[in-house]
Amino acid sequence: MYKKLSSSQEIILDTKFCIYRMIVVHATKKEKRQLEVRIFFFLFLQCLKNSLMRQFDSQVNDFMDSLLEESGSLEPSPVSATPDLYCPFVHSELFEVNHIRTIYHMFIAVLILFILSTLVVDFIDEGRLVLDFDLLVYAFGKFPLVVCTWICMFLSVLLVPYNLFNLWCQSQSGSYSHHRLHSWLLGSVYLLYQALGLGFLPTYVAVTNSLPPASCFIITLEQVRLMMKAHSFIRENVPRVLTWAKDKKSPGPAVPQVSQYLYFLFAPTLIYRDHYPRNPVIRWSYVATKLLQVLGCMFYTYYVFVRLCIPQFRNISLQLFDLRAMVLCVFNSILPGVLILLLGFFAFLHCWLNAFAEMLRFADRMFYKDWWNSTSYANYYRTWNVVVHDWLFYYVYRDFLWMSQKRFRPAAMLCVFTLSAVVHEYILAICFGYFYPVLFCLFMCFGMLFNFIMHDQRKGPIWNIFMWTSIFLGQGVIICLYSQEWYARRYCPLKESSFLDVLKPRSWSCQSPDGRL
């Protein structure tokens, strides 16, 4: 929208300026001087107007963000409830901007160089072109089991929470006696389903079948997503039924239809609404482009591991591990860590969510904001993943304040950080098959510290540089330590492992017969 407005203003300026020049050609010297003064003041006022409008727009956006963040009495509506309303999101067309598109082309060029480098090295070493993707095949192994597990999870989420909610609505409408007993009973069944049906069983399938990392990643991410979806559905609809039971202004409570709940389970949002803004048509070419970009990011990540990670950590495994090796490992891991971070952001938050939004004609596509321009970690956490942030803000932070009567805001923020850190670490622990809480410690220690040091009052480019530097170092630490632990558990397997051995990092004690790691 801003790009089109700027272009139209430039066209108006150019047109008016050309008209003035045509007049000047046929004017007298005095008239020329008067026209030149008028042109100067016109251009000056136009530039001043554009500058003031940009400043006003920026201040209004900052004010609304801070108002939404601090207010505890606003209705939780991060997603518009107006049906059949087309409201495109500017970031869905982000890569139409020439400067951003150039960066996108640079990443494609690096991918081409990765592919050529791999082919050339294979040709030199083997004397022929070797086109194998053993790492991808291994990472996505046992995929039929993953599909079956996902189908079971999805069907259970579709049937169990919705039917339990319907039974509870009937008990509230007067069909049953002992309303409170039925509420406690059905609530206990729902919590038991969340803990066992969605919490334990998928994890048990992944661990007992020793699923490889990417397959585990799919199951755990879908497990967490469906748990958050089910909670949002119950959390948004229960207050409406309680309000109806108190007032009874209508014949019965407003129970969502199965189609509305089914749409929500696929929609790229974690906040339930009966209706969402919808686009008029589906651009299937756009969907195909985004899915192909997701596939390209998978191959890009494969080449990052093959060319930058695996050779480095195979060599580290043959060296004496000391402080010098640790520092070199962290700094050598920064580049692949940052590439994996950006690829994950682009593949999931931009391509995958936009593809599903387009197929479902879901118009509210604020999946992320301009997190790369953040000068504070508080703003970075709000803008990196808006979908998850909305869920945490409305169902953890604000509900905590509601239960504590708005008296413990730092405790509410600590609760949000702890829950997010635990879930992230849980996903990595299941995917890698070991518990090594590097991400948890970084999130809870440095993440919390930077959140208070780099608050919203921090402005200026120096803070944005500091944020990017800390993100780079954090990614280097994560890639280095988790990769070392991965190789240590393969080079030093235990004949009889106990529960403490699972918790204790193997890279601290794994040594080869010559005293090296």
Side-chain angles (χ1 to χ4, degrees), residues 299-454:
F299 283 98
Y300 208 138
T301 306
Y302 162 78
Y303 282 109
V304 168
F305 276 104
V306 168
R307 303 304 303 165
L308 299 179
C309 293
I310 294 178
Q312 172 188 343
F313 291 104
R314 279 179 176 171
N315 294 331
I316 286 179
S317 64
L318 302 176
Q319 299 174 0
L320 184 64
F321 183 73
D322 53 10
L323 181 60
R324 177 181 177 276
M326 173 68 179
V327 172
L328 290 177
C329 174
V330 170
F331 280 95
N332 289 333
S333 302
I334 288 178
L335 177 59
V338 172
L339 287 176
I340 293 171
L341 176 71
L342 296 178
L343 287 171
F345 159 76
F346 178 72
F348 181 70
L349 290 176
H350 184 78
C351 297
W352 186 260
L353 294 184
N354 271 301
F356 267 83
E358 188 68 28
M359 287 187 286
L360 296 171
R361 298 192 295 117
F362 187 86
D364 193 353
R365 303 186 184 183
M366 192 178 290
F367 307 133
Y368 59 92
K369 298 179 183 178
D370 57 337
W371 58 269
W372 48 87
N373 292 325
S374 298
T375 56
S376 67
Y377 261 83
N379 185 67
Y380 169 73
Y381 291 140
R382 290 194 299 265
T383 56
W384 161 259
N385 189 341
V386 175
V387 180
V388 174
H389 169 265
D390 285 343
W391 193 93
L392 290 172
F393 176 75
Y394 287 99
Y395 301 140
V396 180
Y397 180 79
R398 223 180 63 164
D399 282 358
F400 186 94
L401 291 180
W402 172 72
M403 289 186 292
S404 63
Q405 299 180 351
K406 304 178 184 179
R407 290 181 297 183
F408 303 106
R409 289 185 182 272
M413 186 178 298
L414 178 63
C415 184
V416 171
F417 268 88
T418 303
L419 179 62
S420 182
V422 168
V423 172
H424 280 80
E425 191 59 48
Y426 159 77
I427 293 173
L428 292 183
I430 299 300
C431 292
F432 294 149
Y434 54 82
F435 178 73
Y436 196 19
V438 176
L439 181 61
F440 180 84
C441 294
L442 290 176
F443 210 104
M444 291 301 297
C445 298
F446 294 98
M448 283 286 292
L449 180 64
F450 289 155
N451 184 67
F452 288 104
I453 294 177
M454 297 179 63

Side-chain angles (χ1 to χ4, degrees), residues 6-54:
S6 177
S7 300
S8 62
Q9 288 177 346
E10 290 178 2
I11 293 173
I12 293 172
L13 280 174
D14 293 341
T15 304
K16 289 185 176 181
F17 187 71
C18 290
I19 294 173
Y20 280 128
R21 288 192 62 184
M22 291 173 62
I23 296 174
V24 166
V25 171
H26 303 285
T28 62
K29 184 179 294 185
K30 184 177 180 181
E31 291 172 343
K32 289 181 180 180
R33 192 175 298 111
Q34 292 176 350
L35 285 171
E36 288 174 357
V37 172
R38 291 181 63 184
I39 292 172
F40 171 78
F41 276 107
F42 171 76
L43 294 176
F44 171 76
L45 292 175
Q46 192 72 26
C47 293
L48 181 61
K49 172 188 171 184
N50 294 338
S51 177
L52 291 175
M53 289 299 294
R54 284 195 297 268

Side-chain angles (χ1 to χ4, degrees), residues 98-109:
N98 289 334
H99 303 293
I100 303 296
R101 195 164 187 84
T102 300
I103 299 175
Y104 172 70
H105 293 160
M106 292 168 60
F107 270 83
I108 295 178

Side-chain angles (χ1 to χ4, degrees), residues 476-487:
V477 171
I478 290 172
I479 294 295
C480 173
L481 294 183
Y482 279 110
S483 298
Q484 283 184 344
E485 183 68 17
W486 175 272
Y487 277 99

